[in-house]
Amino acid sequence: MIGLTVLGSTGSIGISTLDVVARHPDRYRVVALTANQDVDGLFEQCRRFEPDYAVMANADAAQSLEQRLQATGLTINVLTGVEGLEHVAAMSEADYVMAAIVGAAGLLPTLAAAKAGKRVLLANKEALVVAGELFMRAVDQGGAEILPIDSEHNAVFQCMPGDYRRGLDQVGVSQILLTASGGPFRTLSLDQLQDVTPDQACAHPNWDMGRKISVDSATMMNKGLEVIEACWLFHTTPDKVQVVLHPQSVIHSMVAYTDGSVLAQLGNPDMRTPIAHALAWPERIASGVAPLDLFATARLDFEPPNMERFACLRLAYQAIEAGGTCPAILNAANEIAVAAFLDGKLGFTGIPEVIESVLDLMPGDGNSDLNTLLAVDHEARIRTEQLIRDRV
Ligand code: NAD
Ligand code: MG
């Protein structure tokens, strides 16, 4: 049996992960589940999967979870805070760790899993954006295995030759083609974007996801974060990563080779496919996803992205080109700006404006040790909050 820790089990990816795992009770045993504050959600998951550990990031929430578990007669160790998350990410009972916390909050536990040499199923792209170099070094030093969950990166992984770590030039790969649906506002004019609401932004045409990543998809910051993620995962540079708008979300990404071949991975837009792939790799297991009906799909369209309309994508390319702490600044500013938009405190087009101002205020440097990155993340959040307050 493979022991699995699910970090962020009550979220969209966490729930899809448990859906796949429940189809294979002979193969996987859930050893730890974690959530931020959702006591009801984690309690129900604990009843169903009976893990050894449950972690609530919030201490009060941990206490009420513990009381409810005791009342039900379940003996599950309840831990709290970042230390609790790091413990269940690194402990010997966990062979695989699904990293599905949203945002930079996932960095330390995901890093702990990498250092402990786990198979890391990486959904938490922000961890790589904030600390890509450090994270990939921890993967190497810890002997960890990293399998991408983000559908694009999982698709690229499936289309790459097995020895891609030798370098993309060495293995004949000329380009990574990351597909993007363009989100719910792909066809709106810049003017129309001024007044869009959080609920409209979260109504993605093809994917059902958490609210933060849904807004990121609408601004296309999600694709920008994914360009950065691809550079670290596949040891390449941003000039080798081309974003391709593909509204149907059927091709999840492609790899172009020097001989002119282009390999693509296709499927219905359902995260259970990349999750099942990463759980079973190199084998294949059932995921519950319906087979792709190409006749119903009928057509596949492609367009180049418009960097003016999607300023967040341009800012992300600039941040990874600048390197050092710049991607961490970009990510922190984005997390705060998106939260403010979801709270009704910032307009949709204010998101890239605020991020650009923070990047101008904080030039970033090449020093990317963990303490520097955490300090920069903290400072960028404070500056972003200040800028948002000053706008009203
Ligand atoms: P979500 O908001 O639905 O779930 C987030 C999970 O993280 C929840 O369990 C929540 O309790 C936990 N969490 C939130 N803040 C926390 C904190 N401070 N400390 C500890 N735990 C915390 O998010 P999601 O859509 O499942 O996305 C999770 C990650 O996967 C993100 O990094 C996202 O970019 C990535 N991802 C998601 C999808 C998708 O389809 N949802 C696709 C690709 C990548
Ligand atoms: Mg994605």
Side-chain angles (χ1 to χ4, degrees):
M1 288 284 259
I2 293 165
L4 173 71
T5 283
V6 185
L7 301 172
S9 61
T10 55
S12 162
I13 294 287
I15 290 169
S16 293
T17 302
L18 293 176
D19 181 285
V20 176
V21 164
R23 294 167 195 273
H24 304 280
D26 50 327
R27 220 179 147 111
Y28 305 103
R29 188 172 82 83
V30 176
V31 295
L33 295 171
T34 88
N36 192 22
Q37 324 218 33
D38 179 4
V39 176
D40 291 345
L42 200 60
F43 175 70
E44 283 310 320
Q45 291 183 340
C46 284
R47 283 224 299 206
R48 178 141 184 239
F49 292 93
E50 300 191 10
D52 304 333
Y53 290 87
V55 187
M56 303 275 345
N58 175 292
D60 291 342
Q63 209 179 6
S64 64
L65 178 70
E66 195 155 25
Q67 284 163 358
R68 288 183 65 182
L69 289 171
Q70 272 168 5
T72 335
L74 281 171
T75 47
I76 295 174
N77 295 299
V78 179
L79 306 180
T80 180
V82 177
E83 298 74 29
L85 293 169
E86 287 177 329
H87 179 79
V88 298
M91 66 186 185
S92 59
E93 296 93 319
D95 302 299
Y96 294 3
V97 175
M98 165 57 79
I101 291 174
V102 61
L107 173 60
L108 294 176
T110 308
L111 202 53
K115 285 183 184 159
K118 305 299 182 191
R119 173 180 288 200
V120 181
L121 285 65
L122 186 78
N124 181 208
K125 67 191 86 185
E126 295 92 344
L128 263 190
V129 170
V130 173
E133 192 178 355
L134 189 104
F135 187 83
M136 294 311 285
R137 212 180 315 131
V139 167
D140 283 346
Q141 287 171 357
E145 191 176 32
I146 178 157
L147 284 154
I149 294 298
D150 217 343
S151 57
E152 297 75 6
H153 306 74
N154 184 272
V156 169
F157 181 88
Q158 293 197 46
C159 298
M160 278 283 174
D163 56 347
Y164 70 86
R165 281 185 190 77
R166 286 171 44 217
L168 298 193
D169 287 346
Q170 269 67 37
V171 298
V173 168
S174 56
Q175 218 178 20
I176 289 173
L177 302 165
L178 278 191
T179 52
S181 69
F185 307 142
R186 184 176 53 90
T187 56
L188 295 193
S189 70
L190 267 177
D191 264 0
Q192 290 171 306
L193 283 180
Q194 306 276 355
D195 303 317
V196 298
T197 65
D199 283 344
Q200 287 171 321
C202 290
H204 195 280
N206 307 333
W207 299 94
D208 181 11
M209 309 180 284
R211 283 172 83 77
K212 190 260 177 184
I213 185 178
S214 295
V215 176
D216 284 348
S217 298
T219 61
M220 282 196 80
M221 179 57 92
N222 183 50
K223 211 49 54 180
L225 300 178
E226 290 183 357
V227 169
I228 301 174
E229 182 185 11
C231 289
W232 290 116
L233 284 177
F234 301 110
H235 311 278
T236 191
T237 44
D239 55 302
K240 295 274 172 63
V241 184
Q242 171 68 53
V243 172
V244 179
L245 281 189
H246 165 49
Q248 291 91 358
S249 298
V250 166
I251 296 184
H252 299 308
S253 278
M254 296 168 266
V255 173
Y257 286 83
T258 42
D259 63 3
S261 298
V262 177
L263 300 192
Q265 186 260 355
L266 288 73
N268 284 319
D270 186 321
M271 290 307 293
R272 291 176 301 173
T273 293
I275 290 167
H277 171 266
L279 277 170
W281 185 82
E283 291 173 48
R284 298 275 180 175
I285 56 171
S287 64
V289 177
L292 178 64
D293 182 345
L294 278 176
F295 300 122
T297 305
R299 57 182 286 175
L300 301 172
D301 295 309
F302 307 99
E303 296 165 27
N306 177 334
M307 295 284 187
E308 193 200 334
R309 261 174 51 107
F310 294 111
C312 284
L313 185 56
R314 168 177 60 80
L315 294 172
Y317 268 104
Q318 285 169 2
I320 183 71
E321 294 281 3
T325 55
C326 287
I329 297 168
L330 171 96
N331 178 70
N334 181 57
E335 286 191 31
I336 296 296
V338 169
F341 169 69
L342 286 171
D343 264 2
K345 294 185 178 133
L346 179 69
F348 184 76
T349 49
I351 297 173
E353 287 167 17
V354 165
I355 298 169
E356 187 151 26
S357 303
V358 176
L359 285 167
D360 287 343
L361 284 171
M362 295 179 66
D365 67 41
N367 189 355
S368 52
D369 63 83
L370 186 58
N371 286 337
T372 305
L373 290 166
L374 294 177
V376 159
D377 172 87
H378 183 68
E379 185 187 341
R381 283 169 199 267
I382 290 171
R383 285 185 183 246
T384 313
E385 278 163 359
Q386 185 66 50
L387 276 169
I388 293 170
R389 274 198 300 273
D390 290 350
R391 284 168 72 93
V392 286

